[in-house]
Amino acid sequence: MAVSVDVGLGNGIISPAVRARLGKSAFPARRWFILLEPYLVTYYTMIPPFPRWIWWWAILLPAVAGSVNAAALLSLSHGGVTHLTGISTEAGIGLGSTNVALLAHAAGVVALFTGGCAVSAWVARGPRWMPSLSATLLLLLVSGLLVLASPTLDTTPWLGIMICAAAMGVQNGTTSVVSGAVLRTSHLTGMFTDLGIALGQRARSGVVDYRRVAICIVVIVSFVFGATLGTIVFDRWQARSLLGSAVLASAAAAWTLLSYVRQRN
């Protein structure tokens, strides 16, 4: 979607409106900003076109995160494992109330999630928005960790939670590295924030990035669907519900590999 601007630097045409603003500005830096402002607005309000293959990440991986987070919450009734806001609050509560067990749990989840992100950044190779073998391997690692967490969550819940946190760190790190942090699949705060911004922009007839709105809606619906389905399965099969999450992560890995092969050919 193109953004209408009133300055054409490419062909040397400057509109009267911009000329008037330039005339009022005595500072060279301010004058340059006025000239470049339309392009800066375009840059910060628009995201690059999503390749078709990555839309399946936006559909499958939030469902993985939603189902995993549901299992974690139903197992220990703590702050979940797919995002660290609630867990960081738990750490603060642990410190404030001298609850060592709560503090240790929060610290473990934060450490494992962060470590998973670090692994994804270390392993990931290739340009942004491109499927790669490294991304495929990382998603298979997510699947493997969830398979390992399934029996562990039954026998040693706290350890199973830590393994889930590592898996979610790898997943979120992988999608962030590949998409340049545009696509996040393990938490929704940013998605709801972007939707609210879009509503405000639409209300004042401003520029709305509908591509961003679309990705936000897809991620939110997928995450909630995954959490709903994960809860239903957990109620029946307990920690074995994580095996379904692992299947979804494997499907995302298989799609990434297929996309990589297609691009190579």
Side-chain angles (χ1 to χ4, degrees):
M1 187 178 83
V3 179
S4 176
V5 298
D6 61 354
V7 54
L9 296 182
N11 55 12
I13 299 173
I14 301 178
S15 73
V18 173
R19 287 182 184 276
R21 293 179 65 194
L22 286 172
K24 294 178 183 179
S25 177
F27 300 99
R30 172 65 178 165
R31 294 167 66 88
W32 277 109
F33 176 80
I34 292 171
L35 284 171
L36 296 175
E37 184 179 9
Y39 295 91
L40 294 174
V41 171
T42 302
Y43 179 80
Y44 283 112
T45 58
M46 301 294 288
I47 63 173
F50 270 34
R52 289 183 180 180
W53 71 272
I54 211 167
W55 280 97
W56 281 103
W57 276 20
I59 294 170
L60 292 171
L61 295 179
V64 173
S67 60
V68 170
N69 209 40
L73 288 169
L74 292 169
S75 295
L76 286 182
S77 299
H78 278 283
V81 295
T82 61
H83 57 282
L84 300 184
T85 305
I87 291 295
S88 299
T89 304
E90 283 193 359
I93 294 172
L95 285 170
S97 62
T98 64
N99 187 332
V100 177
L102 185 61
L103 178 59
H105 170 83
V109 171
V110 170
L112 270 295
F113 186 98
T114 305
C117 293
V119 168
S120 67
W122 183 68
V123 173
R125 297 289 187 274
R128 290 177 180 174
W129 302 106
M130 298 289 285
S132 63
L133 290 178
S134 59
T136 301
L137 291 174
L138 286 166
L139 293 178
L140 288 175
L141 175 59
V142 171
S143 179
L145 287 171
L146 294 177
V147 170
L148 176 62
S150 178
T152 310
L153 195 62
D154 269 335
T155 58
T156 316
W158 70 267
L159 182 57
I161 293 293
M162 298 302 158
I163 298 173
C164 288
M168 291 300 94
V170 172
Q171 174 178 306
N172 200 48
T174 301
T175 56
S176 296
V177 169
V178 173
S179 71
V182 171
L183 177 63
R184 302 291 180 91
T185 60
S186 71
H187 54 277
L188 301 182
T189 303
M191 298 298 167
F192 281 112
T193 300
D194 289 346
L195 283 182
I197 290 172
L199 287 172
Q201 291 173 330
R202 185 69 182 88
R204 64 176 177 81
S205 300
V207 176
V208 177
D209 188 351
Y210 290 104
R211 190 183 299 123
R212 184 64 180 171
V213 170
I215 196 68
C216 288
I217 292 174
V218 169
V219 170
I220 290 169
V221 170
S222 176
F223 189 98
V224 174
F225 175 79
T228 304
L229 186 60
T231 299
I232 295 171
V233 176
F234 187 90
D235 284 343
R236 184 165 185 177
W237 288 303
Q238 300 301 305
R240 282 178 291 177
S241 64
L242 291 176
L243 296 178
S245 306
V247 169
L248 289 177
S250 294
W255 174 251
T256 305
L257 179 60
L258 178 61
S259 301
Y260 171 76
V261 172
R262 283 177 174 176
Q263 257 187 15
R264 295 274 292 182
N265 295 334

